[in-house]
Amino acid sequence: MDIGLAGKVVVVTGGVRGVGAGICEVLTSLGAVPIACARRTADDADSAVEFVSCDVRDPDAVDAMIDRITERHGRLDGVVNNAGGSPFAPAADASPNFHRKIVELNMLAPLVVAQAAYSVMRYQDEGGSIVNVSSVSGHRPSPGTAGYGAAKAGLDSLTGSLAVEWAPRVRINSVIAGPVRTEQSALHYGDEEGIAAVGATIPMGRMATGADVGRAVAFLLSPMADYITGSTLTVHGGGERPAFLDAATTDNRWEQTRP
């Protein structure tokens, strides 16, 4: 399918595994030139995807990375701020330094990368597009990852503000992802039985894949979304089934409507 991404140079932070790898795979299939950015590559990373080492929390390193990419490719068409995440840690037990690092990675680093990208995109005839990968954790309680949820909420707020400041030259949007099955799913959901059980709570009957998120990202990067900026696109398979449906003692008519 040609959606106007052929030959477009796109940086994907955290692009060597998990959701980032899925995004790079989709972009490659659409003819784009994804550049996977991470502190280090993965043993099973796609060797066909260009890799750049960078700690996105370091402004000087980010500036140097953007300079290298624009010198090599002559332009920068898109950026996907995907790097992020958090281990499980009850808020009362986590140290202030832990919370600081989580917010730094999930909210401040995307701002640093976006600023560096904007410094290039603003002078390009076709401008550019930035997509922030956010999470449903920023829009509902996130017990065990409270700092992460707060950071993602901040990221979505930041998206709207930058969209106003940087229009019309640079568009910036957010993809709000639900649970995604990756090679690290076991850390959050347990074994295959646990992963399947969590998937069963989602109306679509499964967790998302990296490619599911990647297709949404590709749309927002593409000319098909030329008039879309400051928006959030939710990719969560219908969300989470309300707990009251299972708690209620009346006939569960919702279950009876399912195929």
Side-chain angles (χ1 to χ4, degrees), residues 48-66:
V49 175
E50 182 178 340
F51 171 74
V52 176
S53 176
C54 180
D55 183 345
V56 293
R57 299 168 298 182
D58 182 342
D60 291 336
V62 170
D63 287 341
M65 174 188 69
I66 296 299

Side-chain angles (χ1 to χ4, degrees), residues 168-191:
R169 182 67 68 186
V170 176
R171 296 185 300 107
I172 179 165
N173 294 287
S174 174
V175 169
I176 300 176
V180 183
R181 178 159 189 171
T182 70
E183 61 270 25
Q184 295 186 322
S185 291
L187 297 177
H188 294 277
Y189 310 116
D191 57 15

Side-chain angles (χ1 to χ4, degrees), residues 224-248:
M224 296 180 70
D226 267 352
Y227 196 65
I228 300 175
T229 192
S231 293
T232 55
L233 176 57
T234 304
V235 183
H236 64 1
E240 298 165 322
R241 190 170 75 175
F244 77 83
L245 290 174
D246 294 323

Side-chain angles (χ1 to χ4, degrees), residues 15-110:
V16 299
R17 58 173 59 87
V19 174
I23 293 171
C24 286
E25 180 181 351
V26 170
L27 293 177
T28 299
S29 73
L30 295 170
V33 183
I35 301 170
C37 156
R39 284 184 294 173
R40 62 187 68 86
T41 191
D43 293 337
D44 58 349
D46 186 350
S47 59
V49 175
E50 182 178 340
F51 171 74
V52 176
S53 176
C54 180
D55 183 345
V56 293
R57 299 168 298 182
D58 182 342
D60 291 336
V62 170
D63 287 341
M65 174 188 69
I66 296 299
D67 287 345
R68 290 197 304 272
I69 290 170
T70 53
E71 287 174 6
R72 176 170 180 175
H73 295 276
R75 66 187 193 280
L76 177 62
D77 301 300
V79 164
V80 183
N81 276 312
N82 167 73
S86 173
F88 180 87
D93 301 331
S95 70
N97 188 54
F98 175 87
H99 289 305
R100 179 185 62 79
K101 288 184 175 180
I102 294 302
V103 173
E104 184 179 34
L105 175 62
N106 290 281
M107 189 184 75
L108 297 181

